[in-house]
Amino acid sequence: MIDKIIFATSNEHKVQEVKEMLIAIGVKVLSLNDVGLHIDSKETGITFEENSHIKALDISKKTDVPVIADDSGLCIDAFHGFPGAFSARFLEGQSYIEKQKEILNMLEDIDVRDAHFTCAVTYINKAKKIDRTFVSNVPGKIIREFDEEGQKGGFGYDPIFYSIELKKTFGRASEEEKNAVSHRGRAIAEFVKFLKGGE
Ligand code: ITT
């Protein structure tokens, strides 16, 4: 099995989460900083799968080390899946506190609070001619009030996302708790199953 992988992301929170999960099976996760590469691909796809593939392919062209990339986002039922693949670009330039507050405002008079996070993880291993994408979701609800306490954990929209399984927001969950049920945790679990199956 492979012993190291480059994670093609500029988001250090993602690196931290995935590092913990892959070290458990003896795979060292290298960030772009670690290897002196940077991502300059445009996320021109409409789906998570397309965008994770664009990012993984971009970096795999520059190295022979196996690469993974992640494209993920928060999909809100009442907004037909928005912000979805546009989660990072929603209110671009503003802080995540502003983004969370804006979503809570937009949902103010709406009782249907259902939402999910989705994550697509693309794995490219040039030497073995492997190019696979794993997609997973986690169900939840958007909380009603801004939660100051929840700002301490996770990142992005975690503080407003209440996990049905954990019975608390991702902002209030430990990294281990979040990884056990999250969209990224589940997509990485699928990837690990694939690796253990002989790749
Ligand atoms: P890279 O493209 O470089 O990987 P990014 O942060 O721009 O970094 P995405 O394009 O995949 O990543 O956007 C994902 C956004 O969706 C992310 O910035 C958060 O706003 C949100 N998001 C994804 N996963 C999340 C999680 O586990 N918790 C909270 N928010 C998340």
Side-chain angles (χ1 to χ4, degrees), residues 7-14 17 32 39 41 43 48 51-52 55 69-74 83-90 92 96 99 117-120 138 153-159 161 170-171 178-179 182-185:
F7 190 175
T9 179
S10 53
N11 184 328
E12 288 304 318
H13 297 284
K14 291 181 180 178
E17 289 183 2
L32 292 177
I39 203 156
S41 44
E43 293 178 33
F48 296 109
N51 285 328
S52 66
K55 290 185 254 190
D70 157 314
D71 198 64
S72 44
L74 176 65
F86 300 94
S87 294
R89 287 165 276 172
F90 174 63
E92 205 158 15
Y96 270 93
K99 295 186 195 202
F117 274 117
T118 297
C119 176
V138 57
F155 69 98
Y157 300 98
D158 279 341
F161 185 84
F170 277 174
K178 180 183 169 188
N179 279 346
S182 80
H183 50 317
R184 184 166 301 103

Side-chain angles (χ1 to χ4, degrees), residues 85-129:
F86 300 94
S87 294
R89 287 165 276 172
F90 174 63
L91 299 185
E92 205 158 15
Q94 298 200 36
S95 71
Y96 270 93
I97 293 207
E98 296 306 324
K99 295 186 195 202
Q100 291 171 45
K101 286 185 173 166
E102 184 55 23
I103 285 182
L104 294 179
N105 279 339
M106 288 162 71
L107 278 170
E108 198 173 4
D109 296 321
I110 300 176
D111 284 333
V112 181
R113 315 292 296 188
D114 305 84
H116 58 271
F117 274 117
T118 297
C119 176
V121 169
T122 297
Y123 169 51
I124 297 182
N125 182 327
K126 285 200 297 200
K128 291 192 164 186
K129 295 191 172 19

